[in-house]
Amino acid sequence: MTITTQVVKTGQMPDDPGGLVFVALGLVLMAAGFVWRGRVLRTLSVKRAQSAVIRDRSRNLLRSANMAIAEARRQAALGEPAIVTVGDVTRVACQRYRHVFVEREEAAAAIRQRYEAADCRVDCMTDAFD
């Protein structure tokens, strides 16, 4: 059994103009992108930049405190409490997040916050409450 098809060229446009609308919309979007290219939607704000730096720094200190607590728990022997110091947090923050200087009060506040959140009173000791 042989199936044959016949192609007829009529020279007319198809009844569905959806493809033409799609192409036209694409050209309009490309033209708009070309015209508005490089324009900043929000201007640079010193206040927003400073608040972002402060948020990043506090988040990094909290992460450093988590890492220091985890490291102290790994190094503690069976039945001994894990000892987490403020120096551990500053060391992790300097090594991991490239902080040049971390104040003792900042690191102590980060340890205290994570110490309470991780329920460390059961198996950890710290000097952050001094």
Side-chain angles (χ1 to χ4, degrees):
M1 174 179 222
T2 306
I3 298 174
T4 59
T5 59
Q6 196 174 33
V7 178
V8 178
K9 288 188 176 184
T10 60
Q12 296 177 3
M13 289 190 57
D15 294 333
D16 186 22
L20 182 63
V21 171
F22 184 74
V23 171
L25 181 64
L27 289 174
V28 167
L29 287 175
M30 286 175 45
F34 182 74
V35 169
W36 288 309
R37 176 185 50 162
R39 290 189 184 171
V40 177
L41 297 178
R42 277 178 96 175
T43 58
L44 181 64
S45 170
V46 175
K47 287 175 133 179
R48 275 198 317 265
Q50 288 173 345
S51 67
V53 167
I54 290 169
R55 276 193 318 268
D56 287 344
R57 182 175 176 87
S58 65
R59 187 181 314 124
N60 290 342
L61 284 175
L62 291 175
R63 288 178 183 163
S64 298
N66 279 340
M67 288 181 210
I69 290 171
E71 182 180 339
R73 283 181 171 165
R74 279 192 303 269
Q75 291 178 354
L78 187 63
E80 288 184 1
I83 301 172
V84 184
T85 63
V86 175
D88 294 337
V89 175
T90 57
R91 179 183 48 81
V92 171
C94 290
Q95 289 176 351
R96 179 83 175 193
Y97 297 106
R98 306 281 187 225
H99 290 298
V100 178
F101 178 73
V102 177
E103 290 185 19
R104 186 185 194 304
E105 289 303 315
E106 286 178 316
I111 285 181
R112 284 192 297 267
Q113 186 174 354
R114 289 306 182 188
Y115 195 80
E116 296 294 329
D119 196 26
C120 290
R121 292 196 185 275
V122 177
D123 64 341
C124 295
M125 293 176 59
T126 185
D127 62 346
F129 293 102
D130 293 341

